[in-house]
Amino acid sequence: MDQLPVEVIGNILSHLSAARDVIIASATCRKWRQACCKHLHTLSFSSKDWPIYRDMTTTRLEILTTQTIFQTSGLQALSVLMEGVGEFSASTVIAWLMYTRESLRQLFYNVKTSPNVNILEICGRHKLEILDLTHNSIAGVEPNYQRFPCLKYLSLTYVSISALDLHLLVSACPKIEALELVNPEIAMSDAQVTVELSSSTLKSVYVEAISLEKLILEADGIECLHLKDCALEVFELIGKGTLKHFKIDDVSVIHLDIGEIIENLEIVDISNFTIIWPKFYQMISRSSNLKKLRLWDVMFDDEDEVVDLETIATCFPHLSHLSLSYDVRDGVLHYGLQGSSCLENVVVLELGWTVINELFSHWVEGLLKRCPDLKKLVIHGVVSETKTDEECQMLANFTTSMVELMRIHTHVDTHFK
């Protein structure tokens, strides 16, 4: 270890990341102490890493954190996640950021302060590439002044911000590639009921737990879009057909538009969602390059609507991963076995039920016959703890049927979850 260059030791300490571990390791000898002071790149303070933080007074925590940060030079990644600790002095937190901002590339920040600290004003116009803010307030964004020329990743979780400031903030990041919005508190004026986000460089957008009348996303280069647990009247994506991965999970939306040019779609993952199948089918039917399709716990707006395998097989010839949840209403299976076309490229098949009945095993058997090159089968199911005699018999019949199918399709790797 004595032969290691001090720069290498600095890299080793940076991989430890947690401030407590770095301090303990740096006490090994003078060389390691020097590495900590001059060559440490990453430092993390988290109440989850060390629960003792929560037993300390905020004053004591401020002193320890300040001493540790001020002993470093050239810090590139700083994480201060003090959830459930109490309020810090704003002047102390500002001192941390002012000391590190010239070299800082990544900032993960969850600190309650009194008063609120304006992160944008302190860290704007510098080299920050990743900014992850939690439980913070953003107001009065000035894109010409509070500009992030190098920022590629922006995450806002439980952040209070107006619709206008959110628009200006995204616009102030000319190189942004990934945006995450989790349960933001978005202030809307009477004259503004629409949130508009525009970026030509965005590739990935994740939105969770947001409730809005209208959300418009203009992103010419977007490749991945994930909406989760949202309530929207209108969602509109304006792009140039670059979208590859589209996922919706537990979303309520009246009007959904992801653009007319979607030939590059490779993954469509829809769960806990009510759809009008003709409109949705029309929206994705041109995605001939689709490789993965997941329709899980999907409700149909019209009870007479049925999605049959013939439609899926015909429209998506390159499909290799298919996931369907079993749904029977009024004796009609929503993913029927009509037609004769095979899913020749499907190698992974995931099937599931919420309420099992005697038809499920027949449905599985029919799907297996339509997938001649299948390599993996995953069965997802829910079995109630309290079972009637009828349910026990049905489960026994299902088990017997599955064993028989596994004997026939010995080349298929079968899993039950």
Side-chain angles (χ1 to χ4, degrees):
M1 294 294 286
D2 293 338
Q3 303 302 318
L4 283 178
V6 69
E7 294 85 358
V8 174
I9 297 173
N11 285 330
I12 293 172
L13 293 175
S14 295
H15 280 86
L16 291 177
S17 181
R20 181 194 61 169
D21 297 335
V22 170
I23 293 171
I24 293 172
S26 66
T28 304
C29 63
R30 184 187 302 173
K31 193 173 184 180
W32 282 63
R33 179 67 176 168
Q34 181 185 1
C36 178
C37 294
K38 295 186 177 180
H39 299 284
L40 185 70
H41 306 306
T42 304
L43 193 57
S44 172
F45 302 86
S46 174
S47 55
K48 293 181 179 179
D49 290 341
W50 199 24
I52 293 177
Y53 280 141
R54 298 181 182 180
D55 298 329
M56 295 182 181
T57 64
T58 53
T59 302
R60 179 61 178 159
L61 274 175
E62 287 176 10
I63 294 172
L64 287 174
T65 306
T66 302
Q67 288 176 341
T68 307
I69 292 176
F70 278 36
Q71 286 174 3
T72 66
S73 61
L75 207 60
Q76 295 181 11
L78 176 62
S79 177
V80 188
L81 308 174
M82 292 296 178
E83 192 169 355
V85 170
E87 286 190 348
F88 282 63
S89 168
S91 59
T92 302
V93 175
I94 290 172
W96 302 342
L97 298 175
M98 293 291 287
Y99 181 78
T100 58
R101 67 177 183 175
E102 294 293 338
S103 60
L104 210 59
R105 300 289 195 279
Q106 302 177 17
L107 176 61
F108 300 85
Y109 180 89
N110 181 5
V111 183
K112 290 184 179 179
T113 61
S114 180
N116 184 63
V117 174
N118 192 329
I119 302 293
L120 306 187
E121 184 177 345
I122 298 171
C123 297
R125 309 174 309 284
H126 291 283
K127 301 175 182 178
L128 208 61
E129 296 176 3
I130 295 176
L131 179 59
D132 189 318
L133 297 181
T134 304
H135 293 294
N136 198 256
S137 180
I138 297 175
V141 176
E142 299 178 20
N144 294 328
Y145 177 64
Q146 297 168 335
R147 192 169 180 84
F148 292 86
C150 302
L151 198 70
K152 295 181 179 179
Y153 172 87
L154 175 64
S155 176
L156 304 178
T157 303
Y158 297 102
V159 168
S160 177
I161 187 171
S162 71
L164 177 59
D165 282 336
L166 181 57
H167 170 78
L168 293 175
L169 178 56
V170 173
S171 301
C173 306
K175 293 184 178 180
I176 189 170
E177 295 181 0
L179 173 66
E180 289 192 6
L181 300 174
V182 179
N183 204 0
E185 183 182 338
I186 298 180
M188 306 286 290
S189 64
D190 293 338
Q192 186 178 26
V193 295
T194 302
V195 172
E196 297 185 38
L197 304 177
S198 178
S199 171
S200 60
T201 57
L202 264 177
K203 293 182 179 179
S204 175
V205 175
Y206 175 81
V207 181
E208 179 181 348
I210 191 170
S211 180
L212 292 172
E213 184 172 322
K214 192 172 186 179
L215 176 59
I216 298 178
L217 175 62
E218 186 174 353
D220 291 343
I222 191 169
E223 296 179 359
C224 181
L225 174 62
H226 185 179
L227 304 177
K228 180 179 180 181
D229 192 23
C230 297
L232 305 166
E233 290 192 18
V234 176
F235 177 83
E236 183 177 350
L237 173 64
I238 302 173
K240 293 186 176 180
T242 56
L243 188 65
K244 293 181 179 179
H245 185 175
F246 178 50
K247 184 174 182 178
I248 291 182
D249 182 7
D250 196 14
V251 172
S252 171
V253 59
I254 297 174
H255 177 74
L256 175 67
D257 184 0
I258 59 172
E260 296 183 358
I261 307 174
I262 53 174
E263 284 82 358
N264 291 314
L265 261 179
E266 296 179 0
I267 298 175
V268 173
D269 188 335
I270 311 296
S271 59
N272 300 300
F273 185 62
T274 299
I275 62 175
I276 301 175
W277 176 251
K279 291 184 178 180
F280 183 77
Y281 169 71
Q282 184 180 7
M283 187 168 58
I284 68 169
S285 60
R286 296 185 301 276
S287 307
S288 57
N289 292 320
L290 199 68
K291 293 179 174 61
K292 179 178 179 179
L293 175 62
R294 183 173 184 264
L295 300 175
W296 210 264
D297 291 335
V298 171
M299 304 286 288
F300 292 89
D301 189 63
D302 188 342
E303 293 183 357
D304 295 330
E305 290 174 355
V306 174
V307 182
D308 60 276
L309 284 183
E310 187 73 15
T311 301
I312 294 175
T314 304
C315 293
F316 311 122
H318 300 292
L319 198 65
S320 61
H321 190 145
L322 178 62
S323 301
L324 299 173
S325 62
Y326 182 80
D327 186 14
V328 174
R329 290 184 206 159
D330 299 327
V332 177
L333 181 62
H334 276 201
Y335 306 110
L337 301 174
Q338 297 91 336
S340 58
S341 298
C342 289
L343 297 158
E344 296 183 355
N345 290 310
V346 171
V347 292
V348 179
L349 183 62
E350 293 190 64
L351 305 173
W353 77 79
T354 51
V355 179
I356 191 171
N357 61 34
E358 66 278 358
L359 297 177
F360 181 76
S361 56
H362 297 294
W363 182 59
V364 175
E365 181 182 3
L367 280 163
L368 286 172
K369 291 178 180 178
R370 302 284 283 273
C371 303
D373 292 328
L374 191 67
K375 293 183 174 140
K376 183 177 181 180
L377 172 65
V378 182
I379 302 291
H380 300 263
V382 178
V383 179
S384 61
E385 294 183 4
T386 304
K387 292 177 282 293
T388 64
D389 292 341
E390 183 181 356
E391 288 174 331
C392 289
Q393 184 61 49
M394 193 176 299
L395 191 59
N397 293 339
F398 165 74
T399 304
T400 302
S401 299
M402 288 297 102
V403 170
E404 292 176 355
L405 286 175
M406 290 167 65
R407 286 173 178 169
I408 297 172
H409 301 275
T410 54
H411 61 287
V412 177
D413 184 17
T414 305
H415 299 263
F416 296 88
K417 295 185 178 180

